[in-house]
């Protein structure tokens, strides 16, 4: 795709559609990954699993606060 765009073989409208589609598809795939997580197994893994989930939630919250501050 990058090579085709470099030689102007893809029209700008098609590139815009491809960019938006890739964003939506990435969002859908990330949601599918999140929905496939079995929370019982995560909690059963002990303290390390719980600690990593809390750390991820904390980093996500910090990231969202940074993004919404601007």
């Amino acid at each position: 795709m990058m090579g085709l765009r470099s030689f102007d073989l893809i029209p700008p409208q098609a590139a815009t559609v491809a960019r938006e589609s890739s964003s939506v598809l990435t969002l859908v795939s990330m949601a599918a990954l999140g929905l496939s997580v079995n929370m019982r197994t995560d909690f059963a893994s002990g303290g390390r699993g719980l600690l990593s989930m809390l750390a991820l939630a904390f980093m996500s919250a910090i990231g969202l606060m940074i993004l919404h501050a601007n």
Side-chain angles (χ1 to χ4, degrees), residues 9-60:
L9 297 175
I10 296 178
Q13 297 86 2
T16 302
V17 170
R19 189 177 317 115
E20 294 297 322
S21 298
S22 70
S23 296
V24 170
L25 291 173
T26 301
L27 178 68
V28 169
S29 66
M30 290 298 193
L33 280 172
L35 290 173
S36 69
V37 171
N38 188 347
M39 296 299 284
R40 287 185 192 150
T41 356
D42 286 344
F43 287 128
S45 67
R48 287 180 121 182
L50 183 59
L51 183 63
S52 65
M53 288 190 321
L54 289 174
L56 180 61
F58 178 73
M59 289 186 291
S60 298

Side-chain angles (χ1 to χ4, degrees), residues 2-10:
M2 184 175 68
L4 295 174
R5 287 279 322 260
S6 297
F7 294 111
D8 289 328
L9 297 175
I10 296 178

